[in-house]
Amino acid sequence: MERFPAGRRVGLACAIAALLTLTACTGSPSSPGSAATPGGSSGPVSHGPPKSLRVEQKLDVGLQLPWSVAFLPDGTAVVSERDSGLVKSIRDGQATTVGQLPGVVPGGEGGLLGLALSPTFETDHWLYVYFTASNDNRIARVKLSGDANGSLALGATELVFSGIPKASTHNGGRIRFGPDGLLYVGTGDSQRRDQPQDPSALGGKILRLTPEGQPAPGNPFGNDNPVYSYGHRNVQGLAWDSAGRLWASEFGPDVDDELNLITPGGNYGWPTVTGAPGRKGFIDAKVVWPSTSEASPSGLEIVDGVAYTGALRGQRLWAVPLEDEAAGTPVAYFTGQYGRLRDVAKAPDGSLWVVSNNQNPDFALILGP
């Protein structure tokens, strides 16, 4: 559940003016507060996050409740807007409406959510989308084509997967292709607490699918079952480290937001346990934020051994150093400076994009070291 109301390659020419006003907007690490790795101490990590992160540009391009950002090979950002159902593109500092996805029924935390580009996008032009429909949450893929002038348009839409339970909250929504070329899907429990501990149900899971939407071969509960891990409350971020390990950010209830290292077939405890209680049969989170007022971690990206996650209620960017299967002490940047932060994504040019979620209207930050 989102525990705080949502009330409230870039062109050089566009960047110069913004850089003149943003040169002082450097985020230095702030106190991690009550956030800690399990046991209240850092893991055996030999490095830390950057000493500072600089906002190279703030793109005030009139976004309305953006949820996910993905990048085309040429660096164009593609953004989903949750309530409007619009797909927008950002290029050279300007936002353009690409089209509206049919069948989106927004409400509460539901609407047009996650985006993912096909691993073979340059030949098949598929853009994958996770969205809330009238009776469920679904995944579709839509042709994303461009003309000679670089204008983008949405084409034919094909349903890939359906039946993910929906509710006003806990709809999950993050999708991402892994290094294995398979589609990973974070779902929420949709307020149905019986689902996360049931490996045959779709709620409260990470799913693993083929690009065509079939359960991936080798899944832990059989080749006809899409479930990859279970016992989740509301998965919001998916990212892989340099060794191909999958990490996921997840909303807790009133306590214990989590960063988890995902094991095939692993049970992450919800609703029986949260955080890292060390209880037999459940996998402890690698990072626990005991106070959800400091976190509500959403989109996740891993760059140079550091996991970055945007915080909604916490209104900051968290950075967690990773080493092998260990996570170090989280460090916060930009605390309270930019409001709710929904997604974090690495662009083809190496910059880190952070998308706000304030509806006033919303913007994108481009960060550099």
Side-chain angles (χ1 to χ4, degrees):
M1 177 178 180
E2 296 181 17
R3 295 173 291 274
F4 200 75
R8 320 197 356 109
R9 209 153 309 161
V10 178
L12 180 60
C14 298
I16 291 174
L19 285 172
L20 290 174
T21 61
L22 287 169
T23 51
C25 294
T26 299
S28 298
S30 58
S31 168
S34 59
T37 52
S41 61
S42 63
V45 176
S46 62
H47 63 280
K51 293 182 179 180
S52 65
L53 290 173
R54 180 177 296 275
V55 178
E56 301 290 352
Q57 192 172 7
K58 180 173 178 281
L59 299 178
D60 291 305
V61 290
L63 301 174
Q64 298 292 332
L65 288 177
W67 209 93
S68 181
V69 58
F71 291 95
L72 303 185
D74 68 358
T76 299
V78 181
V79 181
S80 61
E81 289 188 343
R82 188 189 71 187
D83 288 1
S84 70
L86 294 176
V87 175
K88 293 186 174 180
S89 65
I90 303 176
R91 181 170 51 204
D92 297 332
Q94 302 294 320
T96 304
T97 297
V98 178
Q100 186 171 41
L101 190 78
V104 175
V105 180
E109 295 173 8
L112 180 56
L113 304 176
L115 301 178
L117 241 60
S118 164
T120 52
F121 177 82
E122 292 186 273
T123 56
D124 61 32
H125 305 294
W126 284 123
L127 173 69
Y128 286 72
V129 295
Y130 184 117
F131 68 98
T132 308
S134 56
N135 297 312
D136 59 0
N137 287 298
R138 300 181 165 198
I139 302 167
R141 58 185 183 182
V142 56
K143 290 289 186 179
L144 183 60
S145 59
D147 61 21
N149 297 320
S151 297
L152 298 171
L154 300 181
T157 301
E158 178 181 306
L159 182 64
V160 170
F161 193 85
S162 61
I164 301 169
K166 64 170 282 188
S168 60
T169 59
H170 304 192
N171 286 293
R174 194 67 60 188
I175 57 176
R176 199 159 187 181
F177 279 94
D180 54 9
L182 298 171
L183 182 64
Y184 291 75
V185 181
T187 75
D189 69 2
S190 64
Q191 305 177 29
R192 297 169 174 86
R193 290 197 173 197
D194 59 315
Q195 291 224 350
Q197 289 296 315
D198 179 359
S200 65
L202 298 178
K205 304 296 191 300
I206 293 176
L207 311 178
R208 182 170 172 258
L209 307 172
T210 67
E212 294 72 35
Q214 298 301 310
N219 277 355
F221 299 103
N223 290 339
D224 60 347
N225 189 326
V227 173
Y228 189 69
S229 64
Y230 68 114
H232 299 287
R233 184 174 182 269
N234 197 11
V235 177
Q236 292 289 291
L238 301 169
W240 286 263
D241 62 24
S242 60
R245 289 177 288 254
L246 174 60
W247 297 75
S249 56
E250 181 169 346
F251 289 166
D254 296 327
V255 295
D256 294 349
D257 290 326
E258 300 175 353
L259 178 66
N260 287 299
L261 175 61
I262 302 302
T263 299
N267 184 349
Y268 289 81
W270 179 256
T272 307
V273 300
T274 63
R279 185 163 166 181
K280 185 177 180 180
F282 303 113
I283 298 176
D284 282 351
K286 294 294 184 179
V287 174
V288 180
W289 287 269
S291 173
T292 58
S293 66
E294 294 185 344
S296 298
S298 189
L300 180 68
E301 186 67 280
I302 299 175
V303 181
D304 296 332
V306 177
Y308 296 92
T309 184
L312 292 168
R313 189 179 178 193
Q315 299 190 16
R316 67 201 75 183
L317 178 68
W318 283 106
V320 183
L322 307 176
E323 189 166 304
D324 297 327
E325 297 184 358
T329 301
V331 173
Y333 299 84
F334 309 117
T335 300
Q337 294 183 41
Y338 297 107
R340 294 158 51 90
L341 301 180
R342 168 62 75 180
D343 198 15
V344 184
K346 183 180 179 181
D349 65 3
S351 61
L352 195 66
W353 283 49
V354 180
V355 178
S356 74
N357 193 234
N358 300 297
Q359 200 180 21
N360 58 351
D362 284 298
F363 50 84
L365 303 173
I366 303 177
L367 307 183

